[in-house]
């Protein structure tokens, strides 16, 4: 659910923009027993197709404000989404998925 919560994404993005090392970011992938492959596929899809517009916030007004800030800073949502996906790649989430597949 981390990838579906806009506040979490903004915290990660801010952490990186403040000059922190992305290598310090570690994703813990959690899968259900007897549904591992289905869950791993869903995780891959969530990382590969991340779109901030589909994220949620407890307060819808927070989401509106954050999306407005993102749009003002990046010009469009796709540029922001590409930046976030680049952070994900650098954080090596795929390594975690591969390890789970080999377990």
């Amino acid at each position: 659910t981390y990838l579906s919560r806009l506040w979490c994404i903004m915290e990660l993005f801010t952490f990186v923009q403040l000059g922190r090392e992305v290598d310090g970011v570690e994703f813990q992938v959690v899968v259900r027993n007897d549904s591992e492959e289905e869950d791993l596929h869903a995780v891959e899809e969530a990382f590969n197709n991340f779109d901030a517009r589909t994220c949620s916030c407890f307060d819808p007004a927070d989401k509106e404000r954050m999306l407005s800030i993102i749009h003002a800073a990046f010009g469009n949502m796709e540029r922001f989404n590409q930046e976030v996906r680049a952070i994900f790649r650098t954080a090596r989430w795929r390594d975690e998925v591969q390890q789970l597949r080999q377990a």
Side-chain angles (χ1 to χ4, degrees):
T1 63
Y2 182 88
L3 299 178
S4 67
R5 296 184 305 210
L6 191 54
W7 273 110
C8 294
I9 297 302
M10 293 302 289
E11 289 171 359
L12 173 63
F13 182 78
T14 302
F15 175 82
V16 171
Q17 294 305 307
L18 290 173
R20 306 294 186 187
E21 293 294 322
V22 178
D23 291 344
V25 176
E26 187 176 310
F27 290 102
Q28 273 306 102
V29 177
V30 179
V31 295
R32 300 168 291 168
N33 289 336
D34 298 325
S35 297
E36 292 90 351
E37 192 56 40
E38 177 186 347
D39 291 350
L40 290 173
H41 179 72
V43 167
E44 287 175 320
E45 289 294 309
F47 276 111
N48 289 329
N49 300 314
F50 172 78
D51 187 342
R53 292 170 288 214
T54 64
C55 290
S56 61
C57 291
F58 178 76
D59 183 347
D62 283 354
K63 179 178 179 176
E64 267 188 56
R65 278 187 229 113
M66 282 191 280
L67 292 179
S68 293
I69 292 167
I70 291 167
H71 194 273
F74 285 86
N76 63 52
M77 291 303 299
E78 190 51 36
R79 286 183 56 211
F80 176 76
N81 290 336
Q82 289 171 352
E83 288 290 324
V84 172
R85 287 185 211 119
I87 292 169
F88 294 158
R89 282 191 302 276
T90 304
R92 299 164 40 127
W93 65 268
R94 284 186 177 98
D95 292 351
E96 176 73 17
V97 170
Q98 281 300 87
Q99 287 176 355
L100 287 170
R101 279 206 166 101
Q102 294 171 355

PDB file of all heavy atoms in Angstrom, residues 66-97:
ATOM      1  N   MET A  66      -1.305  18.695  -2.931  1.00  0.00           N
ATOM      2  CA  MET A  66      -0.028  18.102  -3.327  1.00  0.00           C
ATOM      3  C   MET A  66       0.076  17.951  -4.839  1.00  0.00           C
ATOM      4  O   MET A  66       1.123  18.233  -5.427  1.00  0.00           O
ATOM      5  CB  MET A  66       0.195  16.768  -2.620  1.00  0.00           C
ATOM      6  CG  MET A  66       0.633  16.954  -1.185  1.00  0.00           C
ATOM      7  SD  MET A  66       1.194  15.432  -0.413  1.00  0.00           S
ATOM      8  CE  MET A  66      -0.364  14.693   0.010  1.00  0.00           C
ATOM      9  N   LEU A  67      -0.992  17.509  -5.477  1.00  0.00           N
ATOM     10  CA  LEU A  67      -0.959  17.370  -6.936  1.00  0.00           C
ATOM     11  C   LEU A  67      -0.780  18.731  -7.602  1.00  0.00           C
ATOM     12  O   LEU A  67      -0.080  18.847  -8.615  1.00  0.00           O
ATOM     13  CB  LEU A  67      -2.214  16.660  -7.444  1.00  0.00           C
ATOM     14  CG  LEU A  67      -2.347  15.183  -7.060  1.00  0.00           C
ATOM     15  CD1 LEU A  67      -3.637  14.601  -7.610  1.00  0.00           C
ATOM     16  CD2 LEU A  67      -1.141  14.364  -7.509  1.00  0.00           C
ATOM     17  N   SER A  68      -1.371  19.762  -7.033  1.00  0.00           N
ATOM     18  CA  SER A  68      -1.192  21.120  -7.570  1.00  0.00           C
ATOM     19  C   SER A  68       0.253  21.567  -7.442  1.00  0.00           C
ATOM     20  O   SER A  68       0.819  22.170  -8.364  1.00  0.00           O
ATOM     21  CB  SER A  68      -2.102  22.119  -6.841  1.00  0.00           C
ATOM     22  OG  SER A  68      -3.446  21.862  -7.123  1.00  0.00           O
ATOM     23  N   ILE A  69       0.872  21.279  -6.318  1.00  0.00           N
ATOM     24  CA  ILE A  69       2.282  21.632  -6.104  1.00  0.00           C
ATOM     25  C   ILE A  69       3.165  20.873  -7.084  1.00  0.00           C
ATOM     26  O   ILE A  69       4.078  21.448  -7.689  1.00  0.00           O
ATOM     27  CB  ILE A  69       2.690  21.355  -4.641  1.00  0.00           C
ATOM     28  CG1 ILE A  69       1.971  22.331  -3.710  1.00  0.00           C
ATOM     29  CG2 ILE A  69       4.204  21.414  -4.469  1.00  0.00           C
ATOM     30  CD1 ILE A  69       2.052  21.953  -2.231  1.00  0.00           C
ATOM     31  N   ILE A  70       2.902  19.585  -7.238  1.00  0.00           N
ATOM     32  CA  ILE A  70       3.682  18.760  -8.177  1.00  0.00           C
ATOM     33  C   ILE A  70       3.556  19.333  -9.586  1.00  0.00           C
ATOM     34  O   ILE A  70       4.547  19.508 -10.300  1.00  0.00           O
ATOM     35  CB  ILE A  70       3.215  17.288  -8.137  1.00  0.00           C
ATOM     36  CG1 ILE A  70       3.605  16.651  -6.803  1.00  0.00           C
ATOM     37  CG2 ILE A  70       3.799  16.504  -9.314  1.00  0.00           C
ATOM     38  CD1 ILE A  70       2.927  15.318  -6.545  1.00  0.00           C
ATOM     39  N   HIS A  71       2.343  19.638  -9.988  1.00  0.00           N
ATOM     40  CA  HIS A  71       2.113  20.165 -11.338  1.00  0.00           C
ATOM     41  C   HIS A  71       2.835  21.498 -11.527  1.00  0.00           C
ATOM     42  O   HIS A  71       3.458  21.736 -12.565  1.00  0.00           O
ATOM     43  CB  HIS A  71       0.616  20.307 -11.609  1.00  0.00           C
ATOM     44  CG  HIS A  71       0.319  20.524 -13.049  1.00  0.00           C
ATOM     45  ND1 HIS A  71       0.313  21.775 -13.621  1.00  0.00           N
ATOM     46  CD2 HIS A  71       0.056  19.649 -14.049  1.00  0.00           C
ATOM     47  CE1 HIS A  71       0.044  21.667 -14.901  1.00  0.00           C
ATOM     48  NE2 HIS A  71      -0.116  20.389 -15.190  1.00  0.00           N
ATOM     49  N   ALA A  72       2.782  22.369 -10.523  1.00  0.00           N
ATOM     50  CA  ALA A  72       3.459  23.663 -10.618  1.00  0.00           C
ATOM     51  C   ALA A  72       4.978  23.483 -10.716  1.00  0.00           C
ATOM     52  O   ALA A  72       5.650  24.200 -11.460  1.00  0.00           O
ATOM     53  CB  ALA A  72       3.099  24.534  -9.415  1.00  0.00           C
ATOM     54  N   ALA A  73       5.522  22.526  -9.982  1.00  0.00           N
ATOM     55  CA  ALA A  73       6.965  22.317  -9.959  1.00  0.00           C
ATOM     56  C   ALA A  73       7.484  21.595 -11.198  1.00  0.00           C
ATOM     57  O   ALA A  73       8.581  21.880 -11.675  1.00  0.00           O
ATOM     58  CB  ALA A  73       7.362  21.542  -8.707  1.00  0.00           C
ATOM     59  N   PHE A  74       6.704  20.660 -11.722  1.00  0.00           N
ATOM     60  CA  PHE A  74       7.180  19.805 -12.814  1.00  0.00           C
ATOM     61  C   PHE A  74       6.544  20.124 -14.162  1.00  0.00           C
ATOM     62  O   PHE A  74       6.982  19.605 -15.179  1.00  0.00           O
ATOM     63  CB  PHE A  74       6.941  18.323 -12.476  1.00  0.00           C
ATOM     64  CG  PHE A  74       7.909  17.806 -11.464  1.00  0.00           C
ATOM     65  CD1 PHE A  74       7.656  17.954 -10.114  1.00  0.00           C
ATOM     66  CD2 PHE A  74       9.090  17.196 -11.856  1.00  0.00           C
ATOM     67  CE1 PHE A  74       8.552  17.494  -9.166  1.00  0.00           C
ATOM     68  CE2 PHE A  74       9.992  16.732 -10.920  1.00  0.00           C
ATOM     69  CZ  PHE A  74       9.726  16.886  -9.569  1.00  0.00           C
ATOM     70  N   GLY A  75       5.494  20.918 -14.169  1.00  0.00           N
ATOM     71  CA  GLY A  75       4.822  21.242 -15.422  1.00  0.00           C
ATOM     72  C   GLY A  75       3.762  20.240 -15.809  1.00  0.00           C
ATOM     73  O   GLY A  75       2.751  20.596 -16.406  1.00  0.00           O
ATOM     74  N   ASN A  76       3.989  18.987 -15.467  1.00  0.00           N
ATOM     75  CA  ASN A  76       2.982  17.947 -15.698  1.00  0.00           C
ATOM     76  C   ASN A  76       3.271  16.758 -14.785  1.00  0.00           C
ATOM     77  O   ASN A  76       4.366  16.625 -14.245  1.00  0.00           O
ATOM     78  CB  ASN A  76       2.911  17.528 -17.172  1.00  0.00           C
ATOM     79  CG  ASN A  76       4.197  16.899 -17.663  1.00  0.00           C
ATOM     80  OD1 ASN A  76       4.724  15.968 -17.067  1.00  0.00           O
ATOM     81  ND2 ASN A  76       4.729  17.409 -18.769  1.00  0.00           N
ATOM     82  N   MET A  77       2.286  15.918 -14.633  1.00  0.00           N
ATOM     83  CA  MET A  77       2.417  14.790 -13.707  1.00  0.00           C
ATOM     84  C   MET A  77       3.383  13.731 -14.217  1.00  0.00           C
ATOM     85  O   MET A  77       4.051  13.073 -13.432  1.00  0.00           O
ATOM     86  CB  MET A  77       1.050  14.158 -13.430  1.00  0.00           C
ATOM     87  CG  MET A  77       0.119  15.036 -12.622  1.00  0.00           C
ATOM     88  SD  MET A  77       0.819  15.546 -11.030  1.00  0.00           S
ATOM     89  CE  MET A  77       1.053  13.966 -10.260  1.00  0.00           C
ATOM     90  N   GLU A  78       3.460  13.547 -15.516  1.00  0.00           N
ATOM     91  CA  GLU A  78       4.313  12.483 -16.037  1.00  0.00           C
ATOM     92  C   GLU A  78       5.779  12.733 -15.702  1.00  0.00           C
ATOM     93  O   GLU A  78       6.515  11.789 -15.399  1.00  0.00           O
ATOM     94  CB  GLU A  78       4.117  12.304 -17.542  1.00  0.00           C
ATOM     95  CG  GLU A  78       4.801  11.056 -18.086  1.00  0.00           C
ATOM     96  CD  GLU A  78       4.471   9.771 -17.313  1.00  0.00           C
ATOM     97  OE1 GLU A  78       3.329   9.597 -16.852  1.00  0.00           O
ATOM     98  OE2 GLU A  78       5.386   8.935 -17.168  1.00  0.00           O
ATOM     99  N   ARG A  79       6.223  13.972 -15.716  1.00  0.00           N
ATOM    100  CA  ARG A  79       7.620  14.267 -15.353  1.00  0.00           C
ATOM    101  C   ARG A  79       7.881  13.889 -13.896  1.00  0.00           C
ATOM    102  O   ARG A  79       8.921  13.315 -13.574  1.00  0.00           O
ATOM    103  CB  ARG A  79       7.937  15.732 -15.608  1.00  0.00           C
ATOM    104  CG  ARG A  79       8.082  16.029 -17.094  1.00  0.00           C
ATOM    105  CD  ARG A  79       8.475  17.453 -17.391  1.00  0.00           C
ATOM    106  NE  ARG A  79       9.710  17.822 -16.714  1.00  0.00           N
ATOM    107  CZ  ARG A  79       9.978  19.053 -16.294  1.00  0.00           C
ATOM    108  NH1 ARG A  79       9.125  20.028 -16.480  1.00  0.00           N
ATOM    109  NH2 ARG A  79      11.115  19.312 -15.679  1.00  0.00           N
ATOM    110  N   PHE A  80       6.947  14.198 -13.017  1.00  0.00           N
ATOM    111  CA  PHE A  80       7.092  13.802 -11.613  1.00  0.00           C
ATOM    112  C   PHE A  80       7.103  12.286 -11.493  1.00  0.00           C
ATOM    113  O   PHE A  80       7.944  11.714 -10.805  1.00  0.00           O
ATOM    114  CB  PHE A  80       5.963  14.395 -10.766  1.00  0.00           C
ATOM    115  CG  PHE A  80       5.992  13.948  -9.330  1.00  0.00           C
ATOM    116  CD1 PHE A  80       6.917  14.478  -8.443  1.00  0.00           C
ATOM    117  CD2 PHE A  80       5.107  12.989  -8.866  1.00  0.00           C
ATOM    118  CE1 PHE A  80       6.964  14.058  -7.117  1.00  0.00           C
ATOM    119  CE2 PHE A  80       5.133  12.562  -7.543  1.00  0.00           C
ATOM    120  CZ  PHE A  80       6.063  13.099  -6.673  1.00  0.00           C
ATOM    121  N   ASN A  81       6.164  11.621 -12.164  1.00  0.00           N
ATOM    122  CA  ASN A  81       6.100  10.164 -12.110  1.00  0.00           C
ATOM    123  C   ASN A  81       7.398   9.534 -12.582  1.00  0.00           C
ATOM    124  O   ASN A  81       7.877   8.560 -11.987  1.00  0.00           O
ATOM    125  CB  ASN A  81       4.925   9.649 -12.948  1.00  0.00           C
ATOM    126  CG  ASN A  81       3.589   9.983 -12.342  1.00  0.00           C
ATOM    127  OD1 ASN A  81       3.452  10.198 -11.138  1.00  0.00           O
ATOM    128  ND2 ASN A  81       2.570  10.054 -13.179  1.00  0.00           N
ATOM    129  N   GLN A  82       8.004  10.088 -13.623  1.00  0.00           N
ATOM    130  CA  GLN A  82       9.280   9.569 -14.118  1.00  0.00           C
ATOM    131  C   GLN A  82      10.381   9.731 -13.073  1.00  0.00           C
ATOM    132  O   GLN A  82      11.207   8.832 -12.895  1.00  0.00           O
ATOM    133  CB  GLN A  82       9.668  10.279 -15.415  1.00  0.00           C
ATOM    134  CG  GLN A  82       8.808   9.879 -16.583  1.00  0.00           C
ATOM    135  CD  GLN A  82       9.064  10.745 -17.814  1.00  0.00           C
ATOM    136  OE1 GLN A  82       9.784  11.732 -17.769  1.00  0.00           O
ATOM    137  NE2 GLN A  82       8.446  10.358 -18.917  1.00  0.00           N
ATOM    138  N   GLU A  83      10.383  10.860 -12.385  1.00  0.00           N
ATOM    139  CA  GLU A  83      11.378  11.084 -11.324  1.00  0.00           C
ATOM    140  C   GLU A  83      11.208  10.066 -10.199  1.00  0.00           C
ATOM    141  O   GLU A  83      12.190   9.525  -9.686  1.00  0.00           O
ATOM    142  CB  GLU A  83      11.249  12.498 -10.763  1.00  0.00           C
ATOM    143  CG  GLU A  83      11.729  13.568 -11.695  1.00  0.00           C
ATOM    144  CD  GLU A  83      13.241  13.553 -11.881  1.00  0.00           C
ATOM    145  OE1 GLU A  83      13.957  13.269 -10.910  1.00  0.00           O
ATOM    146  OE2 GLU A  83      13.684  13.825 -13.005  1.00  0.00           O
ATOM    147  N   VAL A  84       9.967   9.824  -9.814  1.00  0.00           N
ATOM    148  CA  VAL A  84       9.704   8.862  -8.738  1.00  0.00           C
ATOM    149  C   VAL A  84      10.095   7.454  -9.179  1.00  0.00           C
ATOM    150  O   VAL A  84      10.725   6.710  -8.429  1.00  0.00           O
ATOM    151  CB  VAL A  84       8.230   8.929  -8.280  1.00  0.00           C
ATOM    152  CG1 VAL A  84       7.903   7.812  -7.305  1.00  0.00           C
ATOM    153  CG2 VAL A  84       7.936  10.291  -7.647  1.00  0.00           C
ATOM    154  N   ARG A  85       9.761   7.085 -10.410  1.00  0.00           N
ATOM    155  CA  ARG A  85      10.149   5.759 -10.918  1.00  0.00           C
ATOM    156  C   ARG A  85      11.670   5.610 -10.948  1.00  0.00           C
ATOM    157  O   ARG A  85      12.195   4.528 -10.677  1.00  0.00           O
ATOM    158  CB  ARG A  85       9.555   5.524 -12.304  1.00  0.00           C
ATOM    159  CG  ARG A  85       8.079   5.264 -12.283  1.00  0.00           C
ATOM    160  CD  ARG A  85       7.559   4.916 -13.680  1.00  0.00           C
ATOM    161  NE  ARG A  85       6.200   5.368 -13.821  1.00  0.00           N
ATOM    162  CZ  ARG A  85       5.770   6.253 -14.709  1.00  0.00           C
ATOM    163  NH1 ARG A  85       6.602   6.776 -15.583  1.00  0.00           N
ATOM    164  NH2 ARG A  85       4.500   6.613 -14.742  1.00  0.00           N
ATOM    165  N   ALA A  86      12.391   6.687 -11.255  1.00  0.00           N
ATOM    166  CA  ALA A  86      13.857   6.646 -11.246  1.00  0.00           C
ATOM    167  C   ALA A  86      14.371   6.396  -9.828  1.00  0.00           C
ATOM    168  O   ALA A  86      15.338   5.650  -9.644  1.00  0.00           O
ATOM    169  CB  ALA A  86      14.423   7.949 -11.808  1.00  0.00           C
ATOM    170  N   ILE A  87      13.735   6.995  -8.844  1.00  0.00           N
ATOM    171  CA  ILE A  87      14.102   6.732  -7.448  1.00  0.00           C
ATOM    172  C   ILE A  87      13.876   5.258  -7.130  1.00  0.00           C
ATOM    173  O   ILE A  87      14.724   4.608  -6.513  1.00  0.00           O
ATOM    174  CB  ILE A  87      13.308   7.639  -6.489  1.00  0.00           C
ATOM    175  CG1 ILE A  87      13.728   9.096  -6.654  1.00  0.00           C
ATOM    176  CG2 ILE A  87      13.483   7.180  -5.031  1.00  0.00           C
ATOM    177  CD1 ILE A  87      12.821  10.089  -5.955  1.00  0.00           C
ATOM    178  N   PHE A  88      12.745   4.731  -7.547  1.00  0.00           N
ATOM    179  CA  PHE A  88      12.449   3.315  -7.303  1.00  0.00           C
ATOM    180  C   PHE A  88      13.540   2.437  -7.908  1.00  0.00           C
ATOM    181  O   PHE A  88      14.026   1.501  -7.277  1.00  0.00           O
ATOM    182  CB  PHE A  88      11.106   2.911  -7.914  1.00  0.00           C
ATOM    183  CG  PHE A  88       9.895   3.546  -7.298  1.00  0.00           C
ATOM    184  CD1 PHE A  88       8.724   3.628  -8.028  1.00  0.00           C
ATOM    185  CD2 PHE A  88       9.904   4.041  -6.003  1.00  0.00           C
ATOM    186  CE1 PHE A  88       7.581   4.182  -7.479  1.00  0.00           C
ATOM    187  CE2 PHE A  88       8.769   4.609  -5.444  1.00  0.00           C
ATOM    188  CZ  PHE A  88       7.605   4.676  -6.185  1.00  0.00           C
ATOM    189  N   ARG A  89      13.911   2.720  -9.165  1.00  0.00           N
ATOM    190  CA  ARG A  89      14.940   1.905  -9.828  1.00  0.00           C
ATOM    191  C   ARG A  89      16.261   1.974  -9.073  1.00  0.00           C
ATOM    192  O   ARG A  89      16.916   0.957  -8.871  1.00  0.00           O
ATOM    193  CB  ARG A  89      15.125   2.360 -11.279  1.00  0.00           C
ATOM    194  CG  ARG A  89      14.055   1.872 -12.223  1.00  0.00           C
ATOM    195  CD  ARG A  89      14.428   2.121 -13.678  1.00  0.00           C
ATOM    196  NE  ARG A  89      14.687   3.524 -13.975  1.00  0.00           N
ATOM    197  CZ  ARG A  89      13.762   4.437 -14.263  1.00  0.00           C
ATOM    198  NH1 ARG A  89      12.486   4.084 -14.272  1.00  0.00           N
ATOM    199  NH2 ARG A  89      14.096   5.675 -14.533  1.00  0.00           N
ATOM    200  N   THR A  90      16.650   3.164  -8.667  1.00  0.00           N
ATOM    201  CA  THR A  90      17.903   3.344  -7.943  1.00  0.00           C
ATOM    202  C   THR A  90      17.871   2.614  -6.605  1.00  0.00           C
ATOM    203  O   THR A  90      18.893   2.082  -6.157  1.00  0.00           O
ATOM    204  CB  THR A  90      18.199   4.840  -7.728  1.00  0.00           C
ATOM    205  OG1 THR A  90      18.211   5.482  -9.011  1.00  0.00           O
ATOM    206  CG2 THR A  90      19.530   5.057  -7.048  1.00  0.00           C
ATOM    207  N   ALA A  91      16.711   2.567  -5.990  1.00  0.00           N
ATOM    208  CA  ALA A  91      16.567   1.883  -4.700  1.00  0.00           C
ATOM    209  C   ALA A  91      16.556   0.369  -4.854  1.00  0.00           C
ATOM    210  O   ALA A  91      16.498  -0.359  -3.868  1.00  0.00           O
ATOM    211  CB  ALA A  91      15.299   2.358  -3.995  1.00  0.00           C
ATOM    212  N   ARG A  92      16.603  -0.109  -6.065  1.00  0.00           N
ATOM    213  CA  ARG A  92      16.773  -1.529  -6.374  1.00  0.00           C
ATOM    214  C   ARG A  92      15.656  -2.415  -5.826  1.00  0.00           C
ATOM    215  O   ARG A  92      15.897  -3.490  -5.295  1.00  0.00           O
ATOM    216  CB  ARG A  92      18.144  -1.993  -5.888  1.00  0.00           C
ATOM    217  CG  ARG A  92      19.271  -1.238  -6.555  1.00  0.00           C
ATOM    218  CD  ARG A  92      20.590  -1.370  -5.855  1.00  0.00           C
ATOM    219  NE  ARG A  92      20.863  -2.687  -5.361  1.00  0.00           N
ATOM    220  CZ  ARG A  92      21.953  -3.373  -5.621  1.00  0.00           C
ATOM    221  NH1 ARG A  92      22.880  -2.859  -6.381  1.00  0.00           N
ATOM    222  NH2 ARG A  92      22.143  -4.560  -5.093  1.00  0.00           N
ATOM    223  N   TRP A  93      14.436  -1.977  -6.028  1.00  0.00           N
ATOM    224  CA  TRP A  93      13.311  -2.787  -5.582  1.00  0.00           C
ATOM    225  C   TRP A  93      13.268  -4.119  -6.314  1.00  0.00           C
ATOM    226  O   TRP A  93      12.803  -5.117  -5.768  1.00  0.00           O
ATOM    227  CB  TRP A  93      11.988  -2.029  -5.763  1.00  0.00           C
ATOM    228  CG  TRP A  93      11.641  -1.748  -7.202  1.00  0.00           C
ATOM    229  CD1 TRP A  93      11.947  -0.637  -7.919  1.00  0.00           C
ATOM    230  CD2 TRP A  93      10.934  -2.608  -8.092  1.00  0.00           C
ATOM    231  NE1 TRP A  93      11.486  -0.751  -9.201  1.00  0.00           N
ATOM    232  CE2 TRP A  93      10.862  -1.955  -9.339  1.00  0.00           C
ATOM    233  CE3 TRP A  93      10.370  -3.883  -7.972  1.00  0.00           C
ATOM    234  CZ2 TRP A  93      10.234  -2.511 -10.446  1.00  0.00           C
ATOM    235  CZ3 TRP A  93       9.751  -4.439  -9.076  1.00  0.00           C
ATOM    236  CH2 TRP A  93       9.681  -3.760 -10.290  1.00  0.00           C
ATOM    237  N   ARG A  94      13.770  -4.137  -7.547  1.00  0.00           N
ATOM    238  CA  ARG A  94      13.734  -5.388  -8.329  1.00  0.00           C
ATOM    239  C   ARG A  94      14.564  -6.489  -7.667  1.00  0.00           C
ATOM    240  O   ARG A  94      14.234  -7.661  -7.777  1.00  0.00           O
ATOM    241  CB  ARG A  94      14.233  -5.132  -9.746  1.00  0.00           C
ATOM    242  CG  ARG A  94      13.223  -4.438 -10.618  1.00  0.00           C
ATOM    243  CD  ARG A  94      13.715  -4.348 -12.063  1.00  0.00           C
ATOM    244  NE  ARG A  94      12.715  -3.743 -12.893  1.00  0.00           N
ATOM    245  CZ  ARG A  94      12.702  -2.455 -13.242  1.00  0.00           C
ATOM    246  NH1 ARG A  94      13.653  -1.652 -12.802  1.00  0.00           N
ATOM    247  NH2 ARG A  94      11.755  -1.990 -14.008  1.00  0.00           N
ATOM    248  N   ASP A  95      15.643  -6.081  -6.994  1.00  0.00           N
ATOM    249  CA  ASP A  95      16.472  -7.078  -6.305  1.00  0.00           C
ATOM    250  C   ASP A  95      15.657  -7.818  -5.246  1.00  0.00           C
ATOM    251  O   ASP A  95      15.781  -9.037  -5.094  1.00  0.00           O
ATOM    252  CB  ASP A  95      17.685  -6.415  -5.649  1.00  0.00           C
ATOM    253  CG  ASP A  95      18.671  -5.865  -6.664  1.00  0.00           C
ATOM    254  OD1 ASP A  95      18.513  -6.137  -7.870  1.00  0.00           O
ATOM    255  OD2 ASP A  95      19.598  -5.151  -6.237  1.00  0.00           O
ATOM    256  N   GLU A  96      14.853  -7.079  -4.519  1.00  0.00           N
ATOM    257  CA  GLU A  96      14.003  -7.674  -3.481  1.00  0.00           C
ATOM    258  C   GLU A  96      13.010  -8.666  -4.094  1.00  0.00           C
ATOM    259  O   GLU A  96      12.817  -9.765  -3.595  1.00  0.00           O
ATOM    260  CB  GLU A  96      13.268  -6.570  -2.718  1.00  0.00           C
ATOM    261  CG  GLU A  96      12.293  -7.062  -1.682  1.00  0.00           C
ATOM    262  CD  GLU A  96      12.955  -7.641  -0.447  1.00  0.00           C
ATOM    263  OE1 GLU A  96      14.144  -7.408  -0.217  1.00  0.00           O
ATOM    264  OE2 GLU A  96      12.253  -8.359   0.294  1.00  0.00           O
ATOM    265  N   VAL A  97      12.406  -8.273  -5.215  1.00  0.00           N
ATOM    266  CA  VAL A  97      11.441  -9.155  -5.889  1.00  0.00           C
ATOM    267  C   VAL A  97      12.146 -10.416  -6.384  1.00  0.00           C
ATOM    268  O   VAL A  97      11.642 -11.522  -6.218  1.00  0.00           O
ATOM    269  CB  VAL A  97      10.731  -8.411  -7.038  1.00  0.00           C
ATOM    270  CG1 VAL A  97       9.910  -9.366  -7.895  1.00  0.00           C
ATOM    271  CG2 VAL A  97       9.845  -7.295  -6.474  1.00  0.00           C
TER     272      VAL A  97
END
